[in-house]
Every structure is written in structure tokens, then in C-alpha cells.
Amino acid sequence: MKAVVCSEGKLEVADLEGPRPGRGQLLINVLRCGICGSDLHARVHCDDLADLAATTGYDHFMRSDQRVVLGHEFCGEVVEYGPGCRTRWRPGTRVVALPILRNGREPQLTGLSVHAPGGYAEQVVVQEAMTFAVPNGLSPDHAALTEPMAVAWHAVRKGRVGKGQTAFVIGCGPIGLAVITMLRAAGVKTIVGSDFSPRRRELAVRCGADVVVDPGTESPWTAVPKKGRVTGVTDVLNLGFDAMERLRRIPNLPWWYAFRLAHTLNAGPAGPVVFECVGVPGIIDQILTAAPPLTRVVVVGVCMESDRFQPAMAINKEIELRFAFGYDPGEFRDTLHMIADGKVDPAPLITGTVGLDGVDDAFTALGNPEQHAKILIDPASTATAP
């Protein structure tokens, strides 16, 4: 089969031996595969990523001296099964799958390990237990975006945004746009997107942002009305005074039970939820400094460098800091059905399609935020420019 191979930071189309499914696995013909930002990063920084992965207990992340087929956002058609499968779907059935294989008890990250070639190819092997049939005649373009949209859905769930809370999305690259899309699907009423790029701000509006700002000229924190919102420590203290004055007007009321009930129901005052989707040093500290008290910050952008921030700033504001990565099979399945049922529209993210011969040019094009967000690979296409 033909595939795009990455080695020593270079991409080339090569003829490889076709993959064979192992126990519990099946082979699919790739219809579409998305190019992910992590692919761009892995191309030139895979050794650093491999060292980081090793410290977390995964020793098989790709290395620069290996020949690896990238690609973990794909949709395809069933071709054949390996031993030990339940053969759930007929050949030709359109499917998507979590990009992970398991040989024995050894998991491998599809498209990010030499032991699990990815979807920048005519065929890819997937695990039957982690595979899902594409419902409702969903197009392969949209089905291929199940994986990145599942990342965003996981982050939104981590954020636990109330429908009355404001959500700020800092950075409107592909993952930020996906987060905005999933926030809208979750029913969040006020979504603010922030990005320097006019093109990305335009796409943020198409994905569902209510307000977009250029942080070079306007602060996202002042882009929505302040009325009724906690904007500073003084607001938090005054809430305490106001509550106690009201409660103590009622004779013989054991007012402390009201506080206990609020604690039990987690019904106290809350700030906004911020999604950090940039992934460069200094952004977390900027958010902690500028965000109002009681903010919850969900870090989605992957920063590969050392960073620093002031813990006292977060402590004084009681800011909650969470980190999100990946998704679970339930979130992946639910994301697929949200797209297929029309509750989520990933179309604004797709800005180009290339064949295997155009992948190198696509990587270059993705370096310009004014041109593209998500480029798909169609192995059957002859297009060399997105």
C-alpha cells in the first residue's frame, strides 16, 4: 500500500507492505484522515515527546530515527478481520475507531508509534472493541473529525460549565474551535473566543462563539457585561456580607445550615470557565492574573516547554486549575452520534483536502493560521495542494 512515512523530520510517500490485523483487530481502507497539530509537533519534536511519554509509563512513542506512519483522526471501510473477532460489521461498512491498538497487554498509540502505523495511508489496523459503525450516512469528512471533537468534548465535560456561566476560549486554533463547537452543543449561552488571527476569529463565530476579540486590542475579560458577575475579590467579600445580612434578618434561623446546604449542592458563587487552547509558556500565568475570582481553568493546549506561574495569585482568587487530555470510549461514541445526529457541525473546521502526495505541502500550509484550520487526507485523491 501507499503511505506517508515520517523519519528524521521528513515526510515521504512510500510503498509499504499492507498491514495485517492481529487478534481482536480489523483492517480498514482509509477514506479520510485528519492532520492534527500533534502530528505537526511530533514530526520535529518526537524525541522530546517520547521522553515525556516514557516518564508517564509509555515507552513506545515514536522516535525521530524510526519510520512512522502518522495519522490518528480517520474514517474508513471494513476490509477483513483478524482472529478472535466477533465480525460485527460486513465488509464495506463505514467505521471510526479510537486510535489505539493492543497486542497482548501492550497498548500502542496508532499513528504515534512505529508498532501501530496510522491513517496517512491507504489502510490502517484498528481494534474491534474500540471501533464504531458510522451512523445516519454521515460523510467520511465529518466522521473523521470524531477524534478531535471527542478531545474537545472531554475538555468541555472537565470544565463542567453551567448554562448560565460564561465560557472563555483562549486560542481559536483547531482545538479551540472544536471546544467552541462542543460548548455550543452543550447549551452554554455565552461563549467568548480570543485569538490574534482574523481568520480564526471568523471561524470561531461560525463554530458558535457569541463574542470574539483580538487580544492585541481588547481584553476578553471585558468583552461581556459585568452585571451580576464576580469580577474581583471585593465582589466575593460583598456577597458574604449581603448573604449574612439577609439571613440574620430572619429570627431564630440557624443560618449556618443554609451554608451547609450550599456546600452540599455546590451552589456557591462561581466565576467563568476558561479553556486554555494555546499551549505556549506564559499563557497560564496570564490567565491566572487576569481572570476573575472563582474561575475554573481547563488547560487543553499542550505546552512542551517549562512554564511558571504565581500560585499565590491563584490561591487568593481560589482559581481551580484542571488539565484535559484525550477522551474515553463513551465520550468518543457520544461525539460520533452528536455529529451524526446534527447536534454538532464540524464543517467550519475543514478548510482543505489533499491526497497522500500533498501531505508535506499541507503541513506547510497549516503553519499559517490565516489559511487553514483542519486539512483532511483522502488517500484516493490526487490533490497536492489544500
Side-chain angles (χ1 to χ4, degrees):
M1 70 168 185
K2 289 189 178 297
V4 176
V5 175
C6 179
S7 183
E8 302 291 353
K10 297 179 181 179
L11 299 171
E12 64 173 347
V13 179
D15 288 310
L16 304 180
E17 183 178 351
R20 303 293 300 172
R23 175 164 291 276
Q25 299 171 351
L26 62 147
L27 179 68
I28 67 173
N29 285 333
V30 177
L31 297 175
R32 298 291 188 279
C33 184
I35 299 176
C36 178
S38 61
D39 295 340
L40 274 67
H41 199 74
R43 177 187 183 182
V44 291
H45 298 294
C46 60
D47 291 323
D48 293 334
L49 291 166
D51 290 340
L52 177 66
T55 64
T56 66
Y58 180 69
D59 297 321
H60 302 290
F61 199 93
M62 61 183 285
R63 294 281 182 177
S64 59
D65 60 348
Q66 296 173 328
R67 291 174 57 81
V68 177
V69 179
L70 298 171
H72 55 271
E73 307 172 356
F74 48 77
C75 169
E77 292 178 341
V78 174
V79 176
E80 64 174 302
Y81 292 86
C85 287
R86 297 184 63 181
T87 61
R88 299 170 185 269
W89 309 284
R90 296 177 181 175
T93 301
R94 192 171 293 171
V95 296
V96 294
L98 274 74
I100 188 167
L101 297 180
R102 187 168 69 170
N103 298 313
R105 299 293 297 177
E106 195 70 49
Q108 304 289 349
L109 299 179
T110 303
L112 294 169
S113 168
V114 71
H115 303 292
Y120 290 14
E122 293 177 322
Q123 294 184 319
V124 66
V125 170
V126 297
Q127 205 78 25
E128 185 185 38
M130 296 291 191
T131 300
F132 306 90
V134 174
N136 298 343
L138 185 65
S139 72
D141 284 10
H142 291 182
L145 266 65
T146 300
E147 199 277 343
M149 299 305 289
V151 172
W153 182 233
H154 177 72
V156 168
R157 291 189 64 254
K158 278 271 188 180
R160 301 191 181 278
V161 191
K163 293 185 178 180
Q165 287 180 285
T166 298
F168 293 88
V169 179
I170 309 301
C172 298
I175 191 60
L177 295 173
V179 167
I180 290 171
T181 303
M182 301 311 275
L183 284 167
R184 180 58 65 203
V188 178
K189 294 180 180 178
T190 306
I191 306 169
V192 179
S194 175
D195 201 287
F196 290 103
S197 164
R199 170 63 166 157
R200 288 181 171 180
R201 293 197 301 272
E202 173 196 340
L203 291 174
V205 172
R206 290 178 58 192
C207 288
D210 299 287
V211 180
V212 294
V213 301
D214 176 354
T217 60
E218 181 182 3
S219 168
W221 318 109
T222 59
V224 290
K226 294 183 179 180
K227 186 177 180 180
R229 293 195 296 119
V230 173
T231 59
V233 173
T234 299
D235 294 334
V236 178
L237 298 176
N238 279 326
L239 283 172
F241 278 109
D242 294 343
M244 288 300 293
E245 287 175 358
R246 291 190 183 96
L247 289 170
R248 289 210 157 183
R249 289 174 188 159
I250 305 173
N252 303 317
L253 175 71
W255 54 266
W256 53 92
Y257 283 107
F259 279 83
R260 291 178 186 174
L261 179 61
H263 298 158
T264 300
L265 299 176
N266 194 28
V273 181
V274 179
F275 295 87
E276 189 280 288
C277 300
V278 180
V280 300
I283 294 295
I284 294 176
D285 188 57
Q286 291 178 25
I287 291 172
L288 296 180
T289 300
L294 308 178
T295 292
R296 178 178 300 128
V297 179
V298 183
V299 180
V300 193
V302 180
C303 178
M304 286 302 299
E305 302 175 57
S306 297
D307 203 356
R308 59 189 298 172
F309 60 84
Q310 294 178 283
M313 182 68 72
I315 290 168
N316 285 333
K317 295 182 180 182
E318 284 210 336
I319 289 179
E320 185 178 340
L321 192 58
R322 297 185 176 188
F323 295 84
F325 180 77
Y327 39 78
D328 63 36
E331 291 168 329
F332 191 94
R333 180 266 177 203
D334 288 348
T335 299
L336 170 63
H337 282 262
M338 290 166 73
I339 297 172
D341 293 344
K343 297 177 181 177
V344 169
D345 181 14
L349 276 74
I350 303 171
T351 55
T353 303
V354 295
L356 296 174
D357 289 322
V359 172
D360 195 18
D361 286 342
F363 269 53
T364 301
L366 286 167
N368 183 351
E370 298 305 321
Q371 288 186 315
H372 290 284
K374 177 69 65 176
I375 296 176
L376 300 179
I377 300 167
D378 175 359
S381 172
T382 59
T384 57

